[in-house]
Amino acid sequence: MSEIIDIKYKNWLKELKQKFQTSQIKASIQVNSTLLEFYWNLGNEIILKQKEYSWGSGFLEQLSRDLSSEFPEAKGFSKRNLELIRRWVSFYNCGTTCFTIAKQLVSQLENMISPKLFLIPWGHNIAIIQKCKNIEEALFYVENTIKHGISRSVLIHQIESNLYARSAKAITNFEATLPPLQSDLAKEITKDPYNFDFLTLSEDYKEKELEDALCENITKFLLELGSGFAFVGKQYKLNVAGDEFKIDLLFYHIKLKCYVVVELKTVEFKPEFAGKLSFYTSAIDEELKEKNDNPTIGLLICKSKNDLVVEYSLKNINKPLGISEYELVNILPKEYKSSLPSIEDIEAEILKEKV
């Protein structure tokens, strides 16, 4: 863009200076939301001015120089950040204006969306628009970030593992077995499928190997399960009138205030699995659940399932159960896995070298 000397630009630049100075004062009270509100309005004005006056590609570079010169301590006026601000606003504006809808409705949609965006950090906002395909997916991650206060690295992991498409997708009987509010919350903690790509197992692995691998990677497993899960134990022993039973994995969900029984199956779902899981939830309710705890939830994670068979199996069960699949990509041939040195072998070699 050639030098911008027209009065329209200068007047607009003056207005921007005043607005930013006002936002700096408010920022001492609400740093993130006030600054992002300024960014949102700035992005809208950039789009409008470029469209109205046909200012070319050099416009943002000059705007960056002018604002940076006026506010040298501010870090948000680089050309790159101005481009991101414009892209951020364009992403959500497209979601509301790319359709043939009334101007008033567009304004209402923008007013519903933008306040949510101001509640999460700028880096989170940028990660979302860079990685999400549409406005519905983006708002899912915005609301999830607000609700759980997740870090940017966790947010990126969630997007890359496609949490949006997997969240609350397990087949459950929660609506029939839990009060409405708890049913909705319980659905939110489920996924289908669960992503176990952080594991590496050999071919023909057994349930115990899967369970051990998940426990060895408990931090990543808890991250995949989602916010609120607290690990109680594996192969948790239950004594029912002298008979001993072992639950694969037992958790307590802090927000739901209930125990969650997790059973693992490395085969396709079978109807009898639901009956056994129902028994475990009943046993936990009787043997472990306290007065203020909500009913125990059962979650079965299996290698595959026939959705209709699952629905029939859950139909007349009065305990809250959910059935999901899992995905596992990193499978090694047995002969290859067996050729890898164990931890003990590596430690032995280190000791030899020290001697």
Side-chain angles (χ1 to χ4, degrees):
M1 180 182 181
S2 60
E3 288 187 13
I4 302 174
I5 57 174
D6 59 84
I7 192 66
K8 293 172 183 175
Y9 175 81
K10 289 182 177 179
N11 287 340
W12 178 57
L13 183 61
K14 185 178 179 181
E15 291 174 6
L16 284 180
K17 292 176 183 178
Q18 292 173 342
K19 289 177 182 178
F20 184 70
Q21 285 169 336
T22 302
S23 74
Q24 282 184 312
I25 296 171
K26 292 181 179 178
S28 61
I29 302 172
Q30 289 182 305
V31 177
N32 185 71
S33 61
T34 303
L35 182 61
L36 293 192
E37 185 177 358
F38 173 80
Y39 280 178
W40 183 263
N41 292 328
L42 173 60
N44 273 305
E45 291 196 42
I46 287 173
I47 294 168
L48 180 64
K49 300 297 181 184
Q50 285 195 292
K51 184 177 180 181
E52 186 176 356
Y53 301 122
S54 300
W55 290 339
S57 58
F59 156 62
L60 286 184
E61 190 170 342
Q62 178 153 347
L63 181 61
S64 172
R65 287 198 302 268
D66 290 335
L67 290 176
S68 296
S69 176
E70 187 69 26
F71 306 104
E73 295 181 1
K75 298 180 179 179
F77 294 135
S78 67
K79 181 187 176 186
R80 172 60 177 159
N81 204 54
L82 292 178
E83 289 171 341
L84 289 172
I85 290 170
R86 180 176 59 184
R87 181 178 173 185
W88 179 52
V89 174
S90 296
F91 179 91
Y92 291 102
N93 279 349
C94 183
T96 57
T97 61
C98 283
F99 303 99
T100 309
I101 54 179
K103 188 175 182 180
Q104 183 179 2
L105 181 55
V106 170
S107 178
Q108 289 174 349
L109 288 171
E110 285 188 34
N111 290 336
M112 289 171 59
I113 292 169
S114 54
K116 296 179 180 179
L117 308 182
F118 306 157
L119 296 176
I120 66 175
W122 178 233
H124 286 58
N125 272 298
I126 294 307
I128 287 171
I129 65 166
Q130 287 177 333
K131 293 181 175 292
C132 291
K133 303 176 186 66
N134 55 60
I135 193 171
E136 292 81 10
E137 181 183 3
L139 287 177
F140 169 84
Y141 290 110
V142 169
E143 291 168 356
N144 191 58
T145 299
I146 294 170
K147 186 173 183 179
H148 300 295
I150 60 175
S151 67
R152 186 169 176 268
S153 60
V154 171
L155 168 66
I156 292 171
H157 170 77
Q158 289 180 345
I159 298 174
E160 292 178 347
S161 66
N162 203 16
L163 177 64
Y164 170 68
R166 300 184 294 120
S167 183
K169 293 300 191 295
I171 301 176
T172 74
N173 62 357
F174 294 159
E175 288 185 6
T177 57
L178 293 172
L181 179 60
Q182 195 181 8
S183 171
D184 292 341
L185 291 173
K187 285 179 185 177
E188 288 181 10
I189 72 168
T190 68
K191 298 181 180 70
D192 191 27
Y194 283 86
N195 188 327
F196 291 166
D197 286 354
F198 54 87
L199 302 181
T200 300
L201 297 173
S202 61
E203 290 177 349
D204 301 322
Y205 60 91
K206 306 300 181 186
E207 286 167 18
K208 187 178 184 306
E209 293 176 69
L210 177 60
E211 177 188 313
D212 289 344
L214 289 173
C215 290
E216 288 170 7
N217 293 270
I218 192 64
T219 301
K220 293 180 180 178
F221 184 33
L222 285 170
L223 180 62
E224 175 61 13
L225 285 175
S227 177
F229 280 89
F231 184 51
V232 177
K234 71 170 184 175
Q235 290 298 302
Y236 190 89
K237 293 181 181 180
L238 282 174
N239 192 296
V240 180
D243 290 338
E244 186 177 271
F245 301 90
K246 293 181 180 179
I247 294 173
D248 286 348
L249 301 166
L250 183 63
F251 296 86
Y252 189 86
H253 199 275
I254 298 168
K255 293 183 179 180
L256 283 170
K257 298 187 184 305
C258 71
Y259 287 97
V260 181
V261 172
V262 176
E263 283 290 291
L264 304 169
K265 296 295 179 184
T266 56
V267 296
E268 184 178 16
F269 173 82
K270 297 177 182 178
E272 54 265 34
F273 295 164
K276 186 177 182 181
L277 185 59
S278 177
F279 166 75
Y280 284 154
T281 61
S282 295
I284 290 292
D285 281 343
E286 294 298 325
E287 303 293 328
L288 200 60
K289 174 180 171 291
E290 295 185 356
K291 184 178 179 180
N292 295 326
D293 290 331
N294 288 314
T296 301
I297 292 172
L299 180 60
L300 179 73
I301 307 176
C302 53
K303 190 172 185 179
S304 61
K305 68 182 188 307
N306 180 313
D307 289 354
L308 188 58
V309 172
V310 172
E311 290 175 7
Y312 286 171
S313 300
L314 296 181
K315 194 170 184 179
N316 294 314
I317 290 180
N318 61 6
K319 291 294 181 181
L321 307 181
I323 313 297
S324 297
E325 296 178 354
Y326 66 86
E327 290 180 337
L328 183 60
V329 173
N330 301 317
I331 300 293
L332 295 177
K334 276 199 167 182
E335 60 273 16
Y336 178 71
K337 177 114 187 229
S338 62
S339 67
L340 295 175
S342 65
I343 296 296
E344 291 77 11
D345 293 335
I346 294 172
E347 290 176 344
E349 286 298 321
I350 292 173
L351 288 173
K352 284 181 182 179
E353 290 180 4
K354 287 184 177 180
V355 173

